[in-house]
């Protein structure tokens, strides 16, 4: 799993505890990588699936349903996943996704009908909903404040590596071989993740204090009785003291939670409806449809995947140096300019044989800016802006809403391009990014370098001082 360890170069001193947190995060992120391959699996084989010699014959409309139905499945599980994460634990929920993903790829391997693919895509979406709800919670709760932003952004290093892996393998191997290779990642998850510790926050929530201190000891590589472990245990206990698990009504009644939900909904709206996932899923179709011939569409797609991965690695470095707001503003501004360039390319009907490089360059630029800020900071906000007692419910609601955004984005690609043209599609994406740039400037908070307790206290509120007393009371 060397790809995921790339994010650790942000961890300046690379202490033993830092390395241990990175290992735990990397193995959990195998579930994110497995989810990304479900999206990326379609892209390199889409043109072949629509061709006369398809392994699974389908029309363009059927393919749009096949691609977008994964988001219908994603709607089904976040609320249940959030509930189970608070009842059973973060670790069991993540671990369960491995065998389920393996089963889904076995079905794909053995089927040859589009209807069976519909069922599998819904199943994979439901598993993905669990991953995208629980993994951010787990990562935020195991990470030290100094590297939490980097570890959270590493989620998208894993995500974009999953895309790049599929883009790089899919064009060069047969359909069923490609499917079997894709199943490697959930197998690794099933084998490696059982050895990782449970979230200390969850253990304190369940009043399993001895296990919580052992978990902190493992993650920080310090003795259970060390001052650092006891201090952090006290902070966790302070955060959770006198707080019952939050219900939906409790979440909405809290002014700070309502504000934070609006922030995450808005950043997610811009990240999803600016076109990123649709353009990634349909990139080979875009380049084939526009008759770009100076380089093969499959190679362009591989280059896009490579730049997505590289940029996400850099974002994991800068998120804890520049901060969340600067990354979002740089990202939304760059995306707006890039999408306006793509809109102009289609609006003025540039000759693809002479000017096709303009479209490739503008889309490449968009993906660089999109993966640099909008995507990783959205993921980071989802984990940072809510307390441990409300994080499960909040993640469920957020995943549900973001899934609706993603479904709209994926499903309406073909209807818009066939009836209104590519210029309308890219024009809409441009408007979303421009709106996002203004909204982010007005409402996006800065959480760089703050502990989860400081973030929950909010700006201008004094940090709670009774950590030592709380620690003594709960021992």
């Amino acid at each position: 799993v060397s790809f995921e360890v790339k994010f650790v170069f942000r961890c300046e001193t690379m202490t033993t505890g830092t390395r241990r947190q990175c290992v735990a995060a990397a193995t959990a992120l195998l579930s994110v990588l497995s989810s990304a391959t479900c999206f990326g699996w379609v892209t390199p084989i889409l043109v072949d699936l629509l061709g006369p010699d398809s392994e699974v014959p389908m029309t363009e409309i059927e393919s749009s349903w096949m691609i977008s139905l994964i988001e219908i499945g994603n709607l089904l599980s976040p609320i249940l996943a959030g509930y189970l994460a608070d009842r059973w634990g973060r670790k069991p929920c993540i671990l369960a996704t491995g065998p389920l993903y393996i089963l889904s790829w076995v079905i794909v391997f053995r089927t040859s009908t589009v209807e069976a693919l519909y069922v599998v895509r819904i199943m994979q979406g439901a598993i993905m909903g669990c991953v995208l709800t629980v993994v951010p919670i787990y990562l935020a709760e195991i990470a030290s404040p100094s590297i939490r932003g980097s570890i959270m952004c590493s989620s998208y290093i894993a995500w974009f590596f999953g895309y790049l892996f599929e883009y790089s393998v899919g064009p060069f191997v047969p359909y069923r071989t490609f499917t079997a290779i894709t199943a490697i990642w959930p197998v690794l998850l099933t084998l490696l993740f059982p050895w990782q510790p449970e979230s200390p926050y969850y253990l304190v929530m369940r009043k399993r204090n001895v296990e919580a201190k052992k978990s902190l000891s493992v993650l920080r590589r310090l003795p259970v009785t060390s001052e650092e472990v006891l201090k952090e245990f006290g902070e966790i206990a302070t955060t959770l003291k006198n707080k019952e698990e939050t219900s939906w009504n409790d979440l909405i009644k809290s002014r700070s939670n309502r504000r934070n939900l609006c922030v995450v909904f808005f950043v997610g709206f811009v990240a999803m409806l600016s076109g990123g996932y649709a353009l990634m899923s349909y990139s080979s179709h875009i380049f084939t449809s526009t008759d770009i011939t100076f380089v093969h569409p499959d190679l362009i797609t591989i280059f896009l995947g490579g730049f997505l991965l590289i940029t996400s690695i850099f974002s994991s470095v800068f998120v804890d140096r520049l901060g969340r707001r600067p990354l979002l503003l740089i990202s939304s501004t760059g995306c707006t300019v890039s999408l306006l360039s793509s809109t102009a390319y289609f609006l003025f009907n540039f000759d693809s044989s002479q000017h096709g490089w303009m479209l490739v360059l503008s889309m490449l630029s968009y993906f660089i800016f999109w993966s640099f800020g909008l995507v990783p900071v959205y993921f980071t906000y989802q984990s940072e802006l809510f307390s441990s007692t409300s994080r499960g419910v909040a993640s469920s609601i957020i995943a549900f809403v973001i899934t609706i955004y993603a479904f709209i984005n994926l499903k309406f690609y073909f209807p818009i391009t066939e009836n209104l043209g590519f210029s309308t599609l890219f024009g809409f994406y441009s408007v979303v990014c421009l709106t996002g740039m203004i909204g982010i400037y007005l409402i996006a908070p800065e959480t760089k370098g703050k502990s989860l307790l400081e973030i929950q206290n909010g700006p201008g509120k004094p940090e709670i001082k009774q950590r030592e007393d709380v620690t003594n009371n709960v021992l």
Side-chain angles (χ1 to χ4, degrees):
V1 293
S2 61
F3 73 95
E4 286 152 314
V5 183
K6 292 179 181 178
F7 72 84
V8 301
F9 68 79
R10 164 65 185 90
C11 308
E12 298 90 351
T13 59
M14 281 305 294
T15 63
T16 304
T18 295
R19 287 195 294 270
R20 187 62 184 85
Q21 293 170 61
C22 291
V23 169
T27 51
L29 288 172
L30 286 169
S31 64
V32 175
L33 193 160
S34 300
S35 300
T37 59
C38 296
F39 272 107
W41 175 80
V42 175
T43 304
I45 62 174
L46 180 59
V47 174
D48 291 335
L49 289 176
L50 296 173
D53 299 322
S54 174
E55 294 271 359
V56 187
M58 63 182 71
T59 65
E60 286 188 347
I61 297 300
E62 288 174 333
S63 72
S64 72
W65 278 110
M66 187 267 293
I67 292 171
S68 59
L69 278 175
I70 196 169
E71 298 296 348
I72 296 296
N74 205 351
L75 283 173
L76 302 176
S77 61
I79 295 172
L80 178 61
Y83 173 82
L84 293 178
D86 287 340
R87 286 291 183 274
W88 292 354
R90 285 59 160 140
K91 180 180 174 179
C93 290
I94 297 172
L95 185 58
T97 63
L100 292 173
Y101 269 135
I102 294 170
L103 175 61
S104 72
W105 290 120
V106 170
I107 297 172
V108 172
F109 185 87
R110 296 179 62 85
T111 191
S112 298
T113 66
V114 68
E115 292 79 12
L117 282 185
Y118 288 166
V119 174
V120 169
R121 297 289 285 178
I122 293 173
M123 176 184 176
Q124 290 179 335
I127 305 168
M128 187 183 306
C130 179
V131 170
L132 299 184
T133 300
V134 181
V135 170
I137 300 173
Y138 180 79
L139 296 182
E141 292 178 350
I142 67 169
S144 300
S146 62
I147 62 168
R148 190 178 61 246
S150 296
I151 282 184
M152 296 308 303
C153 283
S154 70
S155 300
Y156 275 89
I157 297 177
W159 185 264
F160 292 132
F161 180 87
Y163 273 93
L164 178 60
F165 180 83
E166 298 295 286
Y167 292 171
S168 302
V169 175
F172 307 109
V173 296
Y175 172 83
R176 282 180 169 74
T177 303
F178 182 39
T179 300
I181 293 173
T182 301
I184 290 173
W185 302 109
V187 170
L188 289 176
L189 170 66
T190 304
L191 294 175
L192 298 178
F193 190 63
W195 311 106
Q196 305 311 316
E198 176 60 276
S199 158
Y201 278 81
Y202 166 77
L203 294 171
V204 174
M205 284 173 59
R206 309 318 298 178
K207 304 189 184 305
R208 294 155 60 181
N209 297 327
V210 174
E211 293 176 65
K213 285 185 286 183
K214 288 181 179 178
S215 175
L216 283 171
S217 175
V218 170
L219 290 166
R220 306 300 182 252
R221 284 296 190 191
L222 294 169
V224 174
T225 56
S226 68
E227 180 182 351
E228 292 86 351
V229 168
L230 293 179
K231 179 182 178 182
E232 186 169 358
F233 176 77
E235 291 180 353
I236 296 171
T238 298
T239 303
L240 301 177
K241 183 186 179 185
N242 298 326
K243 290 185 178 181
E244 298 179 355
E245 294 174 23
T246 305
S247 68
W248 286 41
N249 289 334
D250 295 333
L251 187 70
I252 301 301
K253 286 178 182 177
S254 168
R255 181 178 179 182
S256 63
N257 282 334
R258 290 199 305 270
R259 180 194 65 225
N260 292 337
L261 277 174
C262 288
V263 170
V264 178
F265 286 160
F266 184 77
V267 175
F269 171 84
V270 180
M272 297 298 161
L273 289 181
S274 66
Y277 288 115
L279 296 180
M280 289 171 69
S281 297
Y282 295 106
S283 57
S284 61
H285 179 266
I286 292 172
F287 296 128
T288 301
S289 301
T290 50
D291 297 323
I292 291 176
T293 56
F294 72 94
V295 63
H296 195 280
D298 286 336
L299 291 178
I300 300 175
T301 302
I302 293 172
F303 283 131
L304 289 178
F307 276 100
L308 283 168
L309 176 62
I310 293 170
T311 308
S312 65
I313 293 172
F314 277 104
S315 73
S316 72
V317 176
F318 289 111
V319 71
D320 280 327
R321 297 195 180 194
L322 294 179
R324 284 51 160 167
R325 275 179 59 86
L327 280 187
L328 284 174
L329 290 170
I330 293 170
S331 176
S332 56
T333 302
C335 287
T336 301
V337 174
S338 302
L339 289 169
L340 286 172
S341 300
S342 297
T343 304
Y345 175 88
F346 289 110
L347 190 62
F348 296 109
N349 294 316
F350 282 95
D351 184 356
S352 60
S353 62
Q354 297 183 14
H355 304 288
W357 61 269
M358 295 173 58
L359 176 62
V360 174
L361 184 62
S362 63
M363 286 188 62
L364 177 61
S365 174
Y366 165 75
F367 279 124
I368 289 174
F369 283 109
W370 181 69
S371 60
F372 182 70
L374 281 171
V375 176
V377 175
Y378 154 71
F379 209 87
T380 303
Y381 273 168
Q382 180 181 345
S383 302
E384 288 185 329
L385 295 181
F386 303 95
S387 68
S388 291
T389 53
S390 65
R391 202 170 289 138
V393 176
S395 293
S396 301
I397 297 173
I398 291 165
F400 186 87
V401 172
I402 296 303
T403 296
I404 294 175
Y405 295 160
F407 175 78
I408 294 171
N409 193 18
L410 292 171
K411 181 65 186 76
F412 289 97
Y413 168 85
F414 272 125
I416 291 176
T417 54
E418 288 181 355
N419 296 298
L420 300 175
F422 283 107
S423 60
T424 301
L425 182 72
F426 281 91
F428 172 76
Y429 294 157
S430 303
V431 172
V432 170
C433 278
L434 180 60
T435 304
M437 181 174 59
I438 297 170
I440 286 166
Y441 178 79
L442 295 174
I443 68 171
E446 183 55 77
T447 58
K448 180 182 96 170
K450 297 181 180 179
S451 69
L452 294 178
L453 178 60
E454 290 171 328
I455 295 171
Q456 300 316 311
N457 284 340
K461 294 183 181 180
E463 186 174 355
I464 298 173
K465 300 297 184 183
Q466 295 85 4
R467 290 175 184 158
E468 294 83 0
D469 295 338
V470 172
T471 304
N472 293 330
N473 290 337
V474 298
L475 291 179

